[in-house]
Tab-separated table of all heavy atoms in Angstrom:
chain	number	residue	atom	x	y	z
A	437	LEU	N	99.111	56.936	-32.080
A	437	LEU	CA	99.993	56.533	-33.190
A	437	LEU	C	100.057	57.623	-34.259
A	437	LEU	O	101.136	57.883	-34.844
A	437	LEU	CB	99.477	55.218	-33.807
A	437	LEU	CG	99.680	53.956	-32.941
A	437	LEU	CD1	99.012	52.768	-33.599
A	437	LEU	CD2	101.191	53.680	-32.753
A	438	GLU	N	98.927	58.259	-34.525
A	438	GLU	CA	98.908	59.341	-35.519
A	438	GLU	C	99.749	60.517	-35.051
A	438	GLU	O	100.515	61.126	-35.846
A	438	GLU	CB	97.462	59.769	-35.776
A	438	GLU	CG	97.313	60.843	-36.828
A	438	GLU	CD	97.757	60.376	-38.204
A	438	GLU	OE1	97.795	59.136	-38.428
A	438	GLU	OE2	98.032	61.238	-39.057
A	439	ASP	N	99.642	60.880	-33.762
A	439	ASP	CA	100.464	61.984	-33.217
A	439	ASP	C	101.945	61.645	-33.320
A	439	ASP	O	102.780	62.509	-33.682
A	439	ASP	CB	100.091	62.257	-31.745
A	439	ASP	CG	98.703	62.865	-31.606
A	439	ASP	OD1	98.164	63.366	-32.623
A	439	ASP	OD2	98.146	62.833	-30.473
A	440	HIS	N	102.291	60.413	-32.984
A	440	HIS	CA	103.697	60.000	-33.054
A	440	HIS	C	104.205	60.041	-34.499
A	440	HIS	O	105.340	60.481	-34.765
A	440	HIS	CB	103.847	58.590	-32.481
A	440	HIS	CG	105.251	58.106	-32.515
A	440	HIS	ND1	106.253	58.587	-31.673
A	440	HIS	CD2	105.871	57.153	-33.303
A	440	HIS	CE1	107.395	57.990	-31.945
A	440	HIS	NE2	107.192	57.099	-32.937
A	441	ARG	N	103.344	59.587	-35.424
A	441	ARG	CA	103.754	59.614	-36.834
A	441	ARG	C	103.959	61.052	-37.313
A	441	ARG	O	104.941	61.364	-38.026
A	441	ARG	CB	102.692	58.927	-37.689
A	441	ARG	CG	103.089	58.789	-39.183
A	441	ARG	CD	101.953	58.207	-39.955
A	441	ARG	NE	100.804	59.106	-39.918
A	441	ARG	CZ	100.694	60.198	-40.680
A	441	ARG	NH1	101.679	60.550	-41.477
A	441	ARG	NH2	99.618	60.960	-40.606
A	442	ILE	N	103.078	61.942	-36.903
A	442	ILE	CA	103.207	63.349	-37.323
A	442	ILE	C	104.505	63.943	-36.774
A	442	ILE	O	105.253	64.642	-37.495
A	442	ILE	CB	101.993	64.153	-36.866
A	442	ILE	CG1	100.740	63.690	-37.641
A	442	ILE	CG2	102.203	65.643	-37.047
A	442	ILE	CD1	99.464	64.321	-37.138
A	443	LYS	N	104.799	63.700	-35.514
A	443	LYS	CA	106.032	64.222	-34.930
A	443	LYS	C	107.249	63.652	-35.654
A	443	LYS	O	108.233	64.348	-35.910
A	443	LYS	CB	106.084	63.868	-33.439
A	443	LYS	CG	105.098	64.644	-32.601
A	443	LYS	CD	105.239	64.260	-31.131
A	443	LYS	CE	104.266	65.035	-30.254
A	443	LYS	NZ	104.384	64.669	-28.839
A	444	HIS	N	107.236	62.392	-35.951
A	444	HIS	CA	108.357	61.766	-36.632
A	444	HIS	C	108.556	62.344	-38.024
A	444	HIS	O	109.693	62.652	-38.457
A	444	HIS	CB	108.131	60.247	-36.725
A	444	HIS	CG	109.238	59.524	-37.385
A	444	HIS	ND1	109.310	59.305	-38.761
A	444	HIS	CD2	110.431	58.986	-36.886
A	444	HIS	CE1	110.421	58.689	-39.064
A	444	HIS	NE2	111.127	58.458	-37.934
A	445	ASP	N	107.432	62.577	-38.718
A	445	ASP	CA	107.532	63.144	-40.064
A	445	ASP	C	108.070	64.572	-40.002
A	445	ASP	O	108.880	64.996	-40.856
A	445	ASP	CB	106.164	63.128	-40.751
A	445	ASP	CG	105.738	61.720	-41.100
A	445	ASP	OD1	106.569	60.788	-41.052
A	445	ASP	OD2	104.504	61.506	-41.385
A	446	ARG	N	107.626	65.342	-39.025
A	446	ARG	CA	108.107	66.718	-38.889
A	446	ARG	C	109.625	66.729	-38.585
A	446	ARG	O	110.379	67.564	-39.116
A	446	ARG	CB	107.342	67.442	-37.796
A	446	ARG	CG	105.914	67.805	-38.196
A	446	ARG	CD	105.205	68.489	-37.042
A	446	ARG	NE	103.837	68.871	-37.418
A	446	ARG	CZ	102.966	69.408	-36.583
A	446	ARG	NH1	103.342	69.606	-35.305
A	446	ARG	NH2	101.767	69.738	-37.016
A	447	ALA	N	110.055	65.836	-37.729
A	447	ALA	CA	111.496	65.789	-37.392
A	447	ALA	C	112.324	65.402	-38.614
A	447	ALA	O	113.402	65.974	-38.885
A	447	ALA	CB	111.704	64.792	-36.248
Side-chain angles (χ1 to χ4, degrees):
L437 288 175
E438 182 64 21
D439 291 343
H440 180 72
R441 185 184 63 79
I442 292 173
K443 289 181 179 180
H444 181 271
D445 290 347
R446 287 178 179 176

